[in-house]
Amino acid sequence: MTALLQYERLEASGLWRAAPGEQRREVIVSLGDASLTITDMQDRALTHWSLAALERANPGETPAIYHPDGDPGETLELSADATEMLEAIERLHRVIERRRPKPGRLRLILTLSAAAVIAALAFLWMPGALLRHTVSVIPDVKRTEIGEALLSRITRVSGQPCSDRYAQPALEAMSQRLLGNREALVVLPGGVQETAHLPGGTILMNRALVEDFEDADVPAGYVIAEALRADRRDPLETLLQSAGFWSSLRLLTRGELTPETLDAQAERILTAPSADIPDAELVAAFTKAKLRTTPYAFARDVSGESVLGLIEADPYPDGSDSAVLSDSNWIRLQTICGG
């Protein structure tokens, strides 16, 4: 105990009792490096006490009474006159206590570390888990409601959907032919670059797709590609991923999204580029829809260079036996925006 070298020859007299009921004896107490040695007046050793196991029975009182830890029956009494010995014992005992292992502190550190790890995992895992759960439980009617709210915001920029009463049945026929009853087609006079999709199943088309091409297979191809994008990733998931954790929580608990969230998503729909789809997936979808890929491919790239895979893999190079629309319906559809 190098901090207390000045005490290594320190001695004092005291009264020692070996056990309860025995008479106290006058002894000499010697302070060692890590122990107290108690000897009788003839310098015969009576006992050694480890300082690490030394307890004081009456802190702050005099005479000071000490005993070995766990054996309060054996006592050593030091009078107030043994000032230097008392100070040395107390100081040495404090040093020992500081160096003693602190199980409680280690437990606290481990507990706090575990809590930090759990909190970090929750922070990283919770948003994704909440998003997935929200997407899985939101009913179709709520998805449709969100899609309608987005459409109302989009039309502030694009203008109201085209709805010529003579052409509307042709649009519905195309929707039924390509998508069944799952989704609806909406033609907009502007806003969207080509196509986009909304929660609830609505697919938006720019009027140019029905007005600028001679073949109904071209807009039909864009519709199939957009439906495939919606199938590859749930549009509600896309919205919530962009909106963040609190939007998912709000939708799950209150069944609504803030106007600001809807405005931001409407802007993303109008400005974000369409996601690319591998040619193999497109060909499979066109095959299922009994639709040629070549007209769609050349509409995307008149040179055909970047869409050569779609041209060469056309499932119906000689034409499908299931037309997208009759000639009369196609002509009507081309005038849906009054063109």
Side-chain angles (χ1 to χ4, degrees):
M1 203 65 68
T2 56
L4 299 171
L5 289 177
Q6 70 267 34
Y7 300 130
E8 62 183 2
R9 295 183 180 276
L10 186 62
E11 293 183 347
S13 62
L15 296 176
W16 172 72
R17 183 176 61 185
E22 293 191 13
Q23 186 174 355
R24 293 181 299 174
R25 300 173 57 180
E26 186 174 2
V27 295
I28 300 298
V29 182
S30 301
L31 182 62
D33 186 45
S35 65
L36 283 179
T37 301
I38 301 175
T39 61
D40 62 15
M41 304 309 291
Q42 285 76 42
D43 201 27
R44 291 176 296 191
L46 298 175
T47 187
H48 289 80
W49 288 0
S50 170
L51 288 173
L54 184 66
E55 295 289 339
R56 183 167 178 173
N58 60 343
E61 299 178 11
T62 55
I65 300 175
Y66 294 94
H67 63 82
D69 185 19
D71 186 10
E74 182 181 5
T75 62
L76 172 66
E77 183 177 316
L78 296 174
S79 68
D81 295 337
T83 305
E84 193 172 6
M85 175 64 76
L86 290 172
E87 291 179 353
I89 291 174
E90 294 301 323
R91 183 180 176 191
L92 196 54
H93 199 258
R94 287 195 298 270
V95 172
I96 291 172
E97 283 299 312
R98 285 199 298 269
R99 296 182 179 181
R100 194 188 302 274
K102 302 293 191 297
R105 182 180 299 174
L106 178 60
R107 188 180 300 112
L108 176 62
I109 292 173
L110 292 176
T111 301
L112 292 177
S113 298
V117 170
I118 292 172
L121 290 175
F123 177 77
L124 296 174
W125 172 82
M126 180 63 77
L130 178 64
L131 186 151
R132 291 189 294 272
H133 176 67
T134 303
V135 170
S136 69
V137 299
I138 294 301
D140 290 342
V141 64
K142 176 56 67 174
R143 290 168 179 266
T144 299
E145 180 183 319
I146 293 172
E148 291 173 350
L150 288 171
L151 180 59
S152 70
R153 285 162 168 77
I154 290 171
T155 55
R156 296 172 190 170
V157 177
S158 68
Q160 291 301 308
C162 301
S163 57
D164 180 85
R165 65 190 184 95
Y166 296 108
Q168 193 62 33
L171 183 64
E172 294 171 359
M174 174 179 278
S175 178
Q176 182 67 32
R177 161 69 176 82
L178 299 175
L179 307 172
N181 295 322
R182 185 187 63 174
E183 298 174 353
L185 294 178
V186 173
V187 179
L188 296 177
V192 293
Q193 298 178 19
E194 293 168 344
T195 57
H197 60 271
L198 305 176
T202 297
I203 291 181
L204 311 178
M205 303 169 58
N206 188 291
R207 66 184 293 179
L209 293 179
V210 297
E211 293 180 350
D212 294 353
F213 298 98
E214 298 295 329
D215 195 332
D217 283 8
V218 173
Y222 278 94
V223 170
I224 291 297
E226 195 61 39
L228 187 55
R229 291 187 186 95
D231 285 343
R232 297 181 86 212
R233 189 179 186 192
D234 191 318
L236 182 59
E237 179 183 358
T238 302
L239 186 159
L240 295 177
Q241 182 74 52
S242 300
F245 174 83
W246 295 110
S247 292
S248 296
L249 186 61
R250 184 184 183 94
L251 181 59
L252 183 64
T253 58
R254 301 179 61 176
E256 64 181 17
L257 295 170
T258 64
E260 293 76 15
T261 297
L262 294 170
D263 289 341
Q265 182 62 18
E267 182 177 351
R268 280 189 289 269
I269 290 172
L270 292 175
T271 58
S274 298
D276 292 332
I277 304 173
D279 287 353
E281 292 186 34
L282 281 171
V283 171
F286 275 65
T287 301
K288 182 178 180 181
K290 297 183 178 180
L291 188 67
R292 296 177 295 158
T293 57
T294 299
Y296 168 72
F298 278 117
R300 285 177 47 186
D301 181 358
V302 293
S303 71
E305 293 180 3
S306 63
V307 291
L308 188 59
L310 292 177
I311 297 171
E312 293 180 342
D314 193 333
Y316 303 102
D318 298 323
S320 170
D321 58 2
S322 179
V324 172
L325 290 174
S326 64
D327 290 342
S328 58
N329 270 341
W330 172 231
I331 292 173
R332 293 189 184 95
L333 182 59
Q334 289 184 297
T335 64
I336 194 168
C337 291

